[in-house]
C-alpha cells in the first residue's frame, strides 16, 4: 500500500464518520476534553488546511472555523485539498518544515493518517459508531506514535494524556486511543 493509498483509506474512513454525524450529535463531548464532535472535525479540517503551508505551497492556515454552515461538505473539501497537495510530484522526496522540524515530505501523509485515525476514533466513540477503524493502519499508526512519543513525558494540558490501559477486547484503534490517553465517553 502506497502512502497515498494509506491517506485515502484513513480519509475515507473519517469522511464516512463525518457524513454519519446526525444534527443532534455535533455538540456531543469527545475524549478530547475541550472539544465536542464539531470541534474535533474542525481541528481535522484545520490540519488539512495546514498541509499546503507545511509543504511550502500555501499561506499559513490561521485558527478559526473551517466548517461553516455545511460541515460535512467543508470537511470533504478540506480532505480533497490536502490530498491534492500530498499528491504533488516530488513532495515525498524533498524536505518540508512541520511543527516537528524538518522532515521528508512523505511525513506529511503520515501526520494526516495518524491524525485521522486518532480523531476518527474520537468521533466514532462520541457518536456511538464502531471504533474498529482501518485495523492495519491503526496498528502501524500506534507503532509510529510509540516510537515518536513513548519516552516523552506528557504534560498536563498537552495534546495527549498519560497512556491508559486499553480495554480487554481492544481493537488496534482502541489501543491507539489508549496510548494517546483517550478514555471512551460513550461506553
Amino acid at each position: 500500500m502506497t502512502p497515498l493509498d494509506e491517506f485515502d483509506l484513513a480519509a475515507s474512513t473519517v469522511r464516512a464518520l463525518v457524513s454519519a454525524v446526525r444534527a443532534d450529535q455535533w455538540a456531543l463531548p469527545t475524549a478530547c476534553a475541550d472539544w465536542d464532535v464539531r470541534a474535533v472535525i474542525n481541528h481535522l479540517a484545520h490540519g488539512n488546511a495546514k498541509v499546503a503551508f507545511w509543504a511550502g505551497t500555501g499561506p499559513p492556515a490561521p485558527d478559526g472555523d473551517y466548517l461553516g454552515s455545511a460541515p460535512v461538505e467543508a470537511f470533504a473539501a478540506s480532505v480533497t485539498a490536502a490530498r491534492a497537495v500530498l499528491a504533488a510530484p516530488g513532495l515525498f522526496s524533498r524536505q518540508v518544515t512541520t511543527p516537528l522540524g524538518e522532515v521528508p515530505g512523505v511525513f506529511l501523509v503520515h501526520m494526516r493518517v495518524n491524525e485521522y485515525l486518532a480523531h476518527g476514533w474520537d468521533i466514532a466513540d462520541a457518536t456511538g459508531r464502531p471504533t474498529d477503524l482501518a485495523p492495519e493502519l491503526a496498528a502501524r499508526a500506534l507503532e509510529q506514535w510509540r516510537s515518536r512519543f513513548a519516552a516523552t513525558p506528557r504534560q498536563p494540558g498537552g495534546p495527549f494524556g498519560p497512556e491508559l490501559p486499553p480495554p480487554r477486547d481492544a481493537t488496534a484503534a482502541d489501543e491507539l486511543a489508549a496510548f494517546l490517553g483517550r478514555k471512551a465517553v460513550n461506553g
Side-chain angles (χ1 to χ4, degrees), residues 99-126:
L100 301 173
E102 292 283 321
V103 294
V106 71
F107 188 78
L108 292 176
V109 174
H110 301 303
M111 285 176 63
R112 296 316 308 142
V113 167
N114 289 347
E115 282 276 306
Y116 287 160
L117 293 172
H119 290 305
W121 185 92
D122 296 330
I123 297 163
D125 171 61

Side-chain angles (χ1 to χ4, degrees), residues 54-56 91 94-98 101-108:
W54 292 329
L91 175 67
R94 66 179 172 82
Q95 292 292 108
V96 298
T97 302
T98 72
E102 292 283 321
V103 294
V106 71
F107 188 78
L108 292 176

Side-chain angles (χ1 to χ4, degrees), residues 16-90:
L17 290 167
V18 171
S19 293
V21 174
R22 297 185 319 258
D24 63 333
Q25 293 180 317
W26 290 95
L28 289 176
T30 69
C32 294
D34 296 332
W35 291 344
D36 61 16
V37 170
R38 189 180 200 287
V40 168
I41 296 167
N42 189 66
H43 170 74
L44 288 172
H46 183 217
N48 289 338
K50 289 179 181 179
V51 169
F53 176 67
W54 292 329
T57 62
D63 291 341
D65 181 11
Y66 284 80
L67 301 179
S69 62
V72 173
E73 294 80 6
F75 180 73
S78 78
V79 170
T80 299
R83 191 190 192 288
V85 171
L86 296 172

Side-chain angles (χ1 to χ4, degrees), residues 105-183:
V106 71
F107 188 78
L108 292 176
V109 174
H110 301 303
M111 285 176 63
R112 296 316 308 142
V113 167
N114 289 347
E115 282 276 306
Y116 287 160
L117 293 172
H119 290 305
W121 185 92
D122 296 330
I123 297 163
D125 171 61
T127 60
R129 301 264 183 286
T131 57
D132 190 14
L133 311 177
E136 289 180 28
L137 276 184
R140 280 198 296 275
L142 178 58
E143 287 176 23
Q144 290 173 0
W145 284 102
R146 279 191 173 138
S147 69
R148 192 174 309 128
F149 294 115
T152 305
R154 301 190 189 176
Q155 302 301 321
F160 310 113
E163 182 176 359
L164 300 173
R168 225 179 25 202
D169 58 347
T171 67
D174 293 333
E175 289 183 29
L176 173 62
F179 178 77
L180 298 175
R182 305 286 208 283
K183 184 176 180 182

